[in-house]
Amino acid sequence: MGVQDILSRKAGVIVGDDVRKLFEYAQEKQFAIPAINVTSSSTVVAALEAARDSKSPIILQTSQGGAAYFAGKGVDNKDQQASIAGCIAAAHYIRSVAPVYGIPVVLHTDHCAKKLLPWFEGFLKADEDYYKLHGEPLFSSHMIDLSAETDDYNIQTTAHYFERAAKMNQWLEMEIGITGGEEDGVNNESADKDTLYTLPETVFNVYKALAPISPNFSIAAAFGNVHGVYKPGNVVLRPSILGEHQEYAYKHIENPKTKKPIFLVFHGGSGSTQEEFDTAIKNGVVKVNLDTDCQYAYLEGIRDYVLNKKDYILTPVGNPEGEDKPNKKYFDPRVWVREGEKTMSRRITEALEIFHTKNQL
Ligand SMILES: [Zn+2]
């Protein structure tokens, strides 16, 4: 018994009920699925390869900035046109290649603050167009992040977009309370300490607003987590408070089906300990975002290659073995970019072990 036994689509991008079934199964078996930020076909490949070799499902996501990069850094992002085109291109690319890796893939978009809502409108329109043709949305899921706004505005606006997503049986992730650090130009480095821990009743307010629309949603509640890797400071990670959200919801829902009625998401996973991940997963975290560590891992392979092969890449022809020796096999991007894919893949493989995702297919 594994993930593929419970899904109607065993490999490739999954949508609709399959996404919920995957997260329910993850909660039941106590594992979380890493969400990898992808910015190019090369980083997609690194993630798919790690998941395939570890017999795991995987979540691939583009941030607004990552999506613009996917379209090309030279494209003007006026009205979010590069971010919209880039995440749609990533979606079609991932939909095309994922089946040959033989694993289920959740295709997601990351964050999206208030000022980026035109981006959200753009990809949701693409979902609706795709839905008309294929009976399913282009993306498995999206995230909306209005955590910098008031809770009322956050919850109401999220519910508004969730109604549109729910018509396509699409998953929606939202954030309430603040993840510290910086992401997509939204800087929370000086956020008030109390807002870095969401209260159980606040999380339940989200549940009350969204559950009548559809069961397909998850909440990124703040528990002292921070984007990026920072020196230990005065904000302490408290994944145990996620258990309080579940208890509170369990107590206040009529006839709850499970002890953990809420699907939770862990942002800012880079640099956390095994124990912290285990506590978070035990408390119903089904998705862990891992970006910063992957960025560094991708660099490592390329950096080491360039440093070690320096004398073979300074000129197209001529190296320590002879003045007329060709260097083509050293400077071909398939050789040195590949080294970055390998080290990024290795880092994701580690995450799949740490989150107990390995061998869950
Ligand atoms: Zn995040």
Side-chain angles (χ1 to χ4, degrees), residues 15-16 124 126-129 131 135-138 142 163-171:
V15 291
L124 202 59
D127 281 313
E128 288 164 346
D129 291 346
Y131 188 84
E136 63 181 61
L138 179 60
H142 296 295
E163 272 167 17
R164 276 174 70 183
K167 286 198 182 104
M168 299 179 279
N169 202 14
Q170 190 177 40
W171 191 273

Side-chain angles (χ1 to χ4, degrees), residues 170-193:
Q170 190 177 40
W171 191 273
L172 186 67
E173 175 186 336
M174 67 85 70
E175 178 161 327
I176 194 147
I178 289 176
T179 304
E182 197 248 316
E183 172 101 23
D184 267 347
V186 179
N187 194 321
N188 294 324
E189 277 164 330
S190 56
D192 182 358
K193 238 172 115 179

Side-chain angles (χ1 to χ4, degrees), residues 64 193 253 273:
Q64 178 260 354
K193 238 172 115 179
I253 295 170
T273 66

Side-chain angles (χ1 to χ4, degrees), residues 27 30-32 223 237-243 246 260 264-266 273-288:
Q27 262 195 351
Q30 303 212 355
F31 67 90
F223 52 101
L237 195 68
R238 293 177 53 210
S240 60
I241 67 170
L242 300 174
Q246 301 289 8
K260 287 180 272 187
L264 293 166
V265 179
F266 189 152
T273 66
Q274 178 74 60
E275 197 189 347
E276 287 164 342
F277 285 124
D278 284 346
T279 307
I281 292 166
K282 188 172 68 102
N283 290 324
V285 162
V286 292
K287 170 178 181 272
V288 181

Side-chain angles (χ1 to χ4, degrees), residues 37-40 61-73 77 82-83 86-87 90 119 183-184:
N37 282 74
V38 292
T39 52
S40 61
Q61 61 188 19
T62 52
S63 68
Q64 178 260 354
Y69 188 87
F70 221 114
K73 197 67 183 158
N77 206 3
S83 293
C87 72
W119 177 47
E183 172 101 23
D184 267 347

Side-chain angles (χ1 to χ4, degrees), residues 228-239:
V229 181
Y230 294 88
K231 275 188 270 178
N234 51 357
V235 180
V236 180
L237 195 68
R238 293 177 53 210

